[in-house]
Amino acid sequence: MPRAIGVAVSGGSDSVALLHGLYWALQDQNVDIHVATVDHGLRPEAAAEAQFVADLSLRLGLSHKTLCWDEPRGAGNLQARARAARYDLLSAWANENHIDALVLGHTADDQAETVLMRMRREAGVNGLAGIAPRRTLGRLDLLRPMLGLRREDLRDVLRQENVSWVDDPSNEDECFERVRTRKALATLADLGIPADAFSRVAENLSQARKALDWYSFLAADDVISTRAGAVVISQREFRVLPQEIAHRLIAQSVQWLTGDGYVPRRGAMQDAIKAVQRGEGFTFSGCRILSRRGVSWLFREYNALADLTARPGQAWDGRWLMHGGVIAGDETQKCELRPLSAAGLRFCPQWREQDCPGEVLQTTPSLWQNDELLAAPCAGMANGWAVSLIKPEEALFSSFLTH
């Protein structure tokens, strides 16, 4: 048991039941419980709900922090952006408070809703395995101990204990897919397909996923390697893989390259798999596939990196660090990391000796001072500098067992 755990509490019945359950279960344990509420700034009631949780935490003698999302407006799917922001805020809060485990209040109802929504998207085994009871987010363990419990059962316990909670009015707004799905589940229950059935299906597929993860790990050792930050795939070995294993190798490789927590759409993934099998090129999800002499190179698409810059010592593209060289103190602010580019590659006379396609090297980090190329280690122009991956090759291979 960790010395300190964090609990994400919105004020709804699920998270309130979770907080009370943990409080009573851990009373005799030497565990500090920290409570956090995320205020997305999207509803006028949110501040009052956060204060409700703060008051509840005070009555239980627990510390509480309200985490505010300062950028609720913008392009893209609002719910997806809010979810990503929620986990970013909670992860940063946990890190500041030396919390190694964050406990979340997802229930069997949430599991059923997730599985049904993913069925609509024609998800594969991973998607239909639903919400994992445990996963890692950086150095933080995310724990969901209530996936086997129904929401109404938890509410019955709260009523018996005379514990109140707050109801989020957006949970009745059919503009949101999850609300529509929740109502569809009620209809399915009337037809004899209860939410518990979806949870059991998710658990069955979770076991299947673990088996597939293991065989994907073994296959990766035979089929893929890395070079200059790219994934190198042996086409001959890849062609004989079962489709599901091939899908997993490409999916995990893309996630390693981009840092994105989500797998590309299945249609794009199928096209990518065919491109490797046929020895063709393909571009998708910020990545590119290039075929050369029986090998497919999967690497970052140049256009996704063209405008990315960073100062020496900072992470570039979220995955590279450049170190070891020396810059005069006054010149540091004039230097920046950029993708090498086709123009930069022309300044690297030894690039052909790197046993790597020029198109791949063009997407690797290089150090510039205005229009002067100072270093491009992957292309054989180190000048005292070196580059390293924040998540090295070992992270790619281990991801087949830990994602």
Side-chain angles (χ1 to χ4, degrees), residues 227-228 232 293 297 350-357 361 378:
R227 190 171 188 84
V232 186
R293 297 188 296 274
W297 294 76
Q350 296 179 314
W351 76 262
R352 288 183 176 83
E353 300 174 16
Q354 309 311 309
D355 193 26
C356 187
L361 295 175
C378 292

Side-chain angles (χ1 to χ4, degrees), residues 52-102:
F52 170 86
V53 180
D55 294 341
L56 170 60
S57 303
L58 180 62
R59 291 196 298 272
L60 295 176
L62 306 176
S63 67
H64 175 269
K65 177 75 172 180
T66 298
L67 311 174
C68 296
W69 185 29
D70 296 326
E71 302 176 11
R73 305 302 173 197
N77 184 304
L78 180 59
Q79 281 197 312
R81 289 175 53 244
R83 180 182 183 278
R86 180 163 62 251
Y87 282 104
D88 286 345
L89 289 166
L90 288 168
S91 180
W93 166 77
N95 186 55
E96 290 171 3
N97 290 277
H98 308 289
I99 294 168
D100 296 323
L102 177 66

